[in-house]
Amino acid sequence: MSALPLATTTVTLDGDTDWPGFRREARALLARGTPPDAVEWHTQASAAGDLFASAGADVDAVSDEPGETPATTPTLPVPATASKPSTSSSLSVPPAFIQLCETVVLHSDPGRFGLLYRLLWRLQHEPGLRHDPLDADRVQAQHMAQAVRRDMHKMKAFVRFRTLAGEDAASPLHVAWFEPEHHIVEAVAPFFVRRFTQMRWAILTPERSVEWNGESLRFGPGAIKQDAPPADAGEALWLVYYRHIFNPARLKLAMMQKEMPRRYWRNLPEAELISPLASEAMARSGRMVDAGATEPARRIAPLPRPPSVEMDMTQDVSTFDLSDDPRKALEQLARATNVCRECPIGEHATQSVFGEGPVHATLMVVGEQPGDQEDLRGRPFVGPAGKLFDRAMADLGWPRDRLWVTNAVKHFKFELRGKRRIHKTPSQQEAAACLHWLESEIAQVRPVALIALGATAARALLGRPVAVMRERGQWHESPRGEKVLVTLHPSALLRGDPQQHEEAYAAWLNDLSQASGIALDKAP
Ligand code: URA
């Protein structure tokens, strides 16, 4: 006797990224014992209407990036089912599965909801599935999540704003056009809010648009490229700058295309320069070699890195999944900062200088940016400011190798005066561009508290301008809830009046000593 065909249940979700709707429907289907083959998943087309016509949404209400902070509990409450009687009203799934779902939902494949429901169903009926990472459905979901994360990374790297001349000259609107592959606009928007909090901006994409007015985010339907403003003077300047920093001797086309795939070129102003500059590169490199050195080569004496973080600084990890192992994740981040060109500083530095210390240090010390010595040696605080820092550590009885020591900005910014490289303070935009590396570093180390050395570090950590002299020696709370002690940067002491040095040094030690309990790993 042949089995009767299953009646099909059609589920229509509210939109392409309707994760709450999917959870609700999946719960109900499971409760009714509806097998995956009997469900067809559809999404309603995005609401039509005027650009930015939807209701305002508070940024806090918008889900952040998948994987950053799970916005959900790792259970899907399910009523007792008819086919599987249960006294429990809740269906448990591994927390990682929820995070995976939140990311896969953003994929553009129409089959994603079917796949996720099948996995959910199978998790309930095949206990062995949790232990089979090579299962075809699990592998497919992982690939889809990876594609979404890559698309999000590219959006963060390749959005280019143009200024819209409008009635409000003091606070112009900056508009960008971007073409993501997946439904990632809502998920990436909080990143741009954090990075460009003070700016008014809008990002237009074919399916979704988002606007930040300085206070709240609004999402609207898709747009067309012509809605974005034409090239502006700022862009012309960027092209001149790009042409000048383009170093033919460092051109690695394959790597460049891996980091900046061709599909993104059409919306990148600098892309029009790449082909002519690349085709000239061989001849220009030849001329650079023929011209010989203009100054004696610098001797670079690399210091051995402490064994806590070993890293190969040559590997390109422009698109990567962070390892679950914090030590490996920190190594990946260190390598990624090395190839980071999200602001112009990295192009001129020898290498990035990432943090170092024990992976789960209780105290993280954050400086401004590497100096000349740090840039050459690839380690933080090893130059003159580092010597003063070491003296303070010794006087406080804090073993430096128990701290995580890092900087707000990962590359050395300098100005050439003759043969000397003179430190230049990173701009607010440059520090903002680097912030996500510091945030990722903090998320891996998970210190009990942080010390901000100087205004750049304090601003990066506290998300607001900080008057260091007024706020020094006190604990503050960062927007992410971290405890942050603010004090002077050691370079400020080095630059100060030599007559006052010892007094200033004693006051600095006094500030730092507020964190002694944590540095020495006592209860906070
Ligand atoms: N100044 C900093 O802020 N960091 C260093 O690593 C060195 C000098």
Side-chain angles (χ1 to χ4, degrees):
M1 200 176 74
S2 59
L4 285 175
L6 285 171
T8 302
T9 303
T10 302
V11 177
T12 304
L13 298 172
D14 273 353
D16 286 323
T17 57
D18 184 12
W19 162 238
F22 172 75
R23 279 167 59 110
R24 194 179 51 246
E25 296 294 340
R27 229 181 269 152
L29 288 165
L30 273 177
R32 290 199 298 271
T34 311
D37 293 352
V39 189
E40 270 185 18
W41 295 88
H42 298 280
T43 54
Q44 256 171 21
S46 301
D50 291 343
L51 195 62
F52 309 133
S54 66
D58 193 327
V59 63
D60 290 333
V62 176
S63 71
D64 212 334
E65 297 168 35
E68 260 191 7
T69 333
T72 47
T73 58
T75 59
L76 293 177
V78 176
T81 72
S83 61
K84 181 172 173 289
S86 161
T87 48
S88 158
S89 63
S90 143
L91 160 73
S92 94
V93 292
F97 180 70
I98 296 284
Q99 282 177 27
L100 179 73
C101 289
E102 286 177 331
T103 308
V104 172
V105 157
L106 308 184
H107 201 279
S108 54
D109 185 333
R112 64 196 178 283
F113 293 111
L115 172 69
L116 292 179
Y117 181 61
R118 190 161 63 246
L119 270 169
L120 190 57
W121 171 273
R122 292 185 56 211
L123 275 171
Q124 308 314 308
H125 294 82
E126 298 172 32
L129 180 61
R130 289 175 192 229
H131 310 292
D132 183 4
L134 296 181
D135 172 83
D137 283 343
R138 283 187 61 180
V139 169
Q140 189 188 352
Q142 290 294 353
H143 282 161
M144 288 166 84
Q146 196 172 5
V148 167
R149 285 195 292 268
R150 187 173 300 125
D151 204 28
M152 291 174 64
H153 173 80
K154 296 298 179 201
M155 181 164 174
K156 291 173 189 174
F158 296 145
V159 156
R160 299 281 184 269
F161 288 104
R162 289 169 172 175
T163 310
L164 195 64
E167 70 291 353
D168 188 354
S171 175
L173 180 64
H174 303 271
V175 183
W177 170 253
F178 188 73
E179 295 171 52
E181 264 183 80
H182 303 291
H183 307 295
I184 58 170
V185 172
E186 274 96 342
V188 182
F191 166 86
F192 286 97
V193 171
R194 285 197 298 274
R195 184 170 288 188
F196 300 113
T197 314
Q198 313 295 344
M199 261 168 56
R200 291 198 306 126
W201 52 259
I203 303 174
L204 313 182
T205 82
E207 286 186 357
R208 209 86 179 102
S209 301
V210 52
E211 183 194 24
W212 170 249
N213 62 9
E215 284 171 5
S216 61
L217 275 179
R218 290 200 301 160
F219 293 95
I224 55 169
K225 191 171 180 176
Q226 287 70 25
D227 291 329
D232 55 16
E235 186 166 310
L237 204 60
W238 161 240
L239 293 182
V240 172
Y241 178 76
Y242 187 86
R243 203 177 278 115
H244 278 84
I245 60 164
F246 186 88
N247 182 345
R250 288 175 67 176
L251 176 65
K252 292 198 179 103
L253 256 188
M255 193 188 278
M256 181 190 249
Q257 284 191 25
K258 183 166 169 250
E259 165 61 7
M260 195 196 274
R262 277 187 179 271
R263 63 176 293 271
Y264 297 99
W265 288 25
R266 61 179 176 269
N267 295 319
L268 283 174
E270 64 269 32
E272 67 184 57
L273 298 179
I274 294 174
S275 291
L277 286 172
S279 57
E280 271 176 33
M282 289 291 281
R284 275 185 69 196
S285 314
R287 285 199 296 275
M288 282 165 80
V289 171
D290 290 346
T294 51
E295 59 176 277
R298 298 185 70 112
R299 290 229 335 260
I300 298 179
L303 287 185
R305 294 193 72 83
S308 65
V309 179
E310 293 291 336
M311 53 189 92
D312 164 11
M313 298 298 276
T314 59
Q315 192 186 331
D316 176 27
V317 277
S318 47
T319 54
F320 59 94
D321 290 321
L322 267 192
S323 166
D324 293 335
D325 173 351
R327 176 190 305 270
K328 291 204 184 105
L330 286 161
E331 290 170 12
Q332 288 176 300
L333 288 166
R335 289 194 294 269
T337 59
N338 201 38
V339 293
C340 176
R341 294 296 179 268
E342 292 176 41
C343 83
I345 307 181
E347 198 59 33
H348 303 280
T350 309
Q351 59 194 309
S352 69
V353 177
F354 198 68
E356 64 179 30
V359 170
H360 289 310
T362 50
L363 188 62
M364 180 180 285
V365 180
V366 184
E368 181 199 72
Q369 63 163 352
D372 183 74
Q373 293 293 312
E374 288 81 11
D375 168 83
L376 297 175
R377 298 179 181 198
R379 292 188 53 203
F381 284 103
V382 292
K387 297 270 173 318
L388 190 60
F389 179 68
D390 285 345
R391 178 183 160 198
M393 297 300 99
D395 288 342
L396 289 162
W398 298 3
R400 176 166 167 167
D401 61 8
R402 301 248 313 256
L403 311 176
W404 187 270
V405 179
T406 191
N407 284 299
V409 172
K410 306 300 185 203
H411 282 109
F412 175 39
K413 180 173 179 184
F414 60 91
E415 188 177 280
L416 261 186
R417 288 212 203 121
K419 290 180 187 163
R420 294 183 57 216
R421 303 192 301 171
I422 308 296
H423 162 276
K424 274 196 88 179
T425 305
S427 71
Q428 216 173 297
Q429 285 97 326
E430 287 155 348
C434 226
L435 181 60
H436 68 102
W437 297 122
L438 179 61
E439 287 176 338
S440 303
E441 203 174 5
I442 296 171
Q444 295 301 325
V445 177
R446 292 192 278 111
V448 172
L450 299 102
I451 298 182
L453 299 177
T456 302
R459 184 176 192 140
L461 291 173
L462 296 178
R464 60 174 173 84
V466 175
V468 173
M469 293 311 281
R470 209 171 51 229
E471 304 191 41
R472 62 182 295 186
Q474 297 163 26
W475 287 102
H476 303 269
E477 188 170 309
S478 81
R480 294 170 295 272
E482 296 135 358
K483 283 176 61 149
V484 180
L485 177 68
V486 170
T487 189
L488 273 65
H489 191 281
S491 303
L493 300 174
L494 293 175
R495 281 194 307 267
D497 179 353
Q499 308 280 334
Q500 313 276 318
H501 181 77
E502 285 310 306
E503 201 183 318
Y505 177 72
W508 189 50
L509 280 193
N510 190 45
D511 289 354
L512 291 168
S513 67
Q514 308 295 320
S516 278
I518 298 167
L520 299 172
D521 213 356
K522 302 212 187 94

